[in-house]
Amino acid sequence: MNGTRVLVLNSGSSSVKYQLLDMADGSRPASGIVERIGEGPVTDHAAALKQVADELAAQGLGLDSPELAAVGHRVVHGGTRFTEPTLITDEVVEEIEKLIPLAPLHNPANVTGIKVARSLRPDLPQVAVFDTAFHSTIPEAAARYAIDVATADRWGVRRYGFHGTSHAYVSRATAALLGKEPAEVNTIVLHLGNGASASAVRGGTCVETSMGLTPLEGLVMGTRSGDIDPAAIFHLSRVGGLSTDEIDTLLNKRSGLAGLCGDNDMREIGRRMGEGDPAAQLAFDIYIHRLRKYVGAYTAVLGRVDAIAFTAGVGENSAAVREAALRGLTAFGIEVDTVRNALRSGAARLISTGSSRVAVAVVPTDEELEIASQTFDLVSA
Ligand SMILES: Nc1ncnc2c1ncn2[C@@H]1O[C@H](COP(=O)(O)OP(=O)(O)O)[C@@H](O)[C@H]1O
Ligand SMILES: CC(=O)OP(=O)(O)O
Ligand SMILES: [Mg+2]
């Protein structure tokens, strides 16, 4: 291996994000996003990846570049099989394809990304980095659902958890911000993007997370419901006459903030709340209520909490969400400093008061750097 650059591909359900990172000097010579796949001229993920390859080639940074050491792919579901970054072979691709029923919105896009990149550069090492991997340490008491064990095992029904690359990166960065080793710190990480999840990390090891078998469980998200009584599905089916696919679409794409008020973007919800819009206010209140429940639950799971870290689009940018989520928790040792919380910055920073026993932090996530580092470590080992 000669090159020092890693191309990271993050293929989502309707977008492909890419970044080219140089591991020798930390620079990022290229990055971009192809959005709204399936809506306009970009008909599918293969077309989107072709566009990514073209954009890179136009800058003289194409996949044929000798400086490229590897391609790192974000793969959302790794099941129980993949708990480490994995060099991609035909057999690995087949295994990722077998996991499509567990992540129908995400894994097909990931597989397409892998196939296109491999066809363009068959000689280049390609590495899969799994969203589920960081959560593989969650103990059985937290990972198992309380259903018949044989049925659960037969069909792989258990908590896998997602956004693990982000939870891993942010929990380490939070320890660094406190000037401590990850092993010394217990952290609640709140990854609040379009998809959203919470995790409890004890001394660097993940012990609980809010997403489950699929990325649907847990917090209220942009378009996903998060927690719901599973009997609502039987009710909608038997009484409401909705098909399984219709209920799937309802809970994944027409729920969450979008289902509650028509907008999935927290900026727009904040604007509408400022105008006194009751639907936007209720959506915000439900979002915050769920978040507070998880903070309380994970405080009990960890016993001792040293830090709470907010990350991803909403967590990094919405002071209103951070303030509301942790308001009135002085009895838990949690005190947000209003002035610090309102300051805007792209850097990791503390927003708790000097007297807060629990450090509250805003820590920008960097899934691309984490994927590139894990990829580069594997191919240069
Ligand atoms: N300035 C902001 N204030 C409040 N929310 C924001 C702001 N910027 C972005 N967001 C929120 O972040 C979300 C996107 O988060 P992101 O982590 O990029 O999501 P994903 O990676 O899941 O696509 C947007 O839908 C929006 O709700
Ligand atoms: C797993 C998941 O929910 O990912 P995203 O937030 O990118 O949709
Ligand atoms: Mg994201």
Side-chain angles (χ1 to χ4, degrees), residues 2-337:
N2 306 310
T4 55
R5 290 182 172 176
V6 176
L7 174 64
V8 174
L9 291 179
N10 179 349
S11 302
S13 49
S14 67
S15 70
V16 176
K17 296 182 198 161
Y18 67 93
Q19 270 191 28
L20 184 65
L21 296 91
D22 195 318
M23 307 314 285
D25 60 12
S27 66
R28 304 196 192 192
S31 68
I33 178 167
V34 180
E35 287 178 286
R36 284 184 275 281
I37 297 171
E39 287 176 36
V42 190
T43 47
D44 56 16
H45 278 84
L49 285 144
K50 167 105 179 36
Q51 186 172 323
V52 169
D54 289 348
E55 284 179 20
L56 286 166
Q59 300 169 67
L61 300 167
L63 269 120
D64 54 354
S65 157
E67 288 166 305
L68 208 54
V71 182
H73 297 267
R74 176 190 183 204
V75 180
V76 163
H77 216 306
T80 46
R81 158 83 196 266
F82 298 111
T83 59
E84 300 284 340
T86 304
L87 198 63
I88 295 172
T89 61
D90 291 344
E91 194 260 336
V92 168
V93 175
E94 277 170 34
E95 289 297 316
I96 296 171
E97 284 177 322
K98 282 187 198 155
L99 293 163
I100 285 175
L102 293 179
L105 298 180
H106 293 94
N107 271 35
N110 304 152
V111 168
T112 304
I114 291 170
K115 287 187 171 167
V116 171
R118 286 182 96 204
S119 71
L120 292 172
R121 265 302 290 278
D123 61 307
L124 199 64
Q126 314 243 351
V127 175
V129 177
F130 297 91
D131 254 42
T132 44
F134 183 60
H135 304 300
S136 65
T137 51
I138 293 175
E140 286 287 279
R144 280 206 177 262
Y145 296 112
I147 64 171
D148 174 68
V149 171
T151 306
D153 288 350
R154 164 112 170 72
W155 300 106
V157 177
R158 59 183 288 115
R159 178 179 311 289
Y160 295 96
F162 300 89
H163 295 139
T165 306
S166 176
H167 288 285
Y169 176 85
V170 170
S171 58
R172 266 193 280 110
T174 304
L177 181 68
L178 301 183
K180 302 220 161 115
E181 292 299 319
E184 301 173 282
V185 184
N186 292 351
T187 306
I188 297 173
V189 178
L190 303 171
H191 175 109
L192 312 177
N194 226 328
S197 64
S199 69
V201 183
R202 188 197 305 284
T205 301
C206 188
V207 295
E208 173 64 293
T209 197
S210 60
M211 283 179 167
L213 171 73
T214 77
L216 181 55
E217 196 181 348
L219 301 175
V220 176
M221 313 186 205
T223 65
R224 292 172 234 165
S225 63
D227 295 335
I228 183 171
D229 181 345
I233 296 162
F234 317 143
H235 180 72
L236 290 170
S237 166
R238 291 181 191 135
V239 181
L242 276 73
S243 70
T244 311
D245 283 349
E246 284 169 339
I247 300 171
D248 190 333
T249 303
L250 171 75
L251 297 182
N252 273 298
K253 298 192 170 163
R254 296 200 293 121
S255 295
L257 295 170
L260 289 165
C261 75
D263 273 308
N264 70 333
D265 193 309
M266 199 52 88
R267 283 165 290 201
E268 188 57 18
I269 289 170
R271 196 192 57 72
R272 284 173 56 186
M273 280 162 57
E275 294 174 347
D277 184 320
Q281 184 66 54
L282 182 60
F284 182 84
D285 292 348
I286 295 169
Y287 184 97
I288 295 297
H289 179 80
R290 186 80 53 82
L291 199 50
R292 291 172 67 89
K293 281 212 302 202
Y294 272 90
V295 170
Y298 288 7
T299 298
V301 166
L302 288 170
R304 187 198 84 220
V305 180
D306 301 302
I308 297 173
F310 287 90
T311 195
V314 176
E316 291 167 32
N317 294 300
S318 177
V321 165
R322 296 191 298 258
E323 199 274 326
L326 302 181
R327 187 183 300 148
L329 297 183
T330 314
F332 285 54
I334 300 167
E335 279 172 17
V336 172
D337 182 300

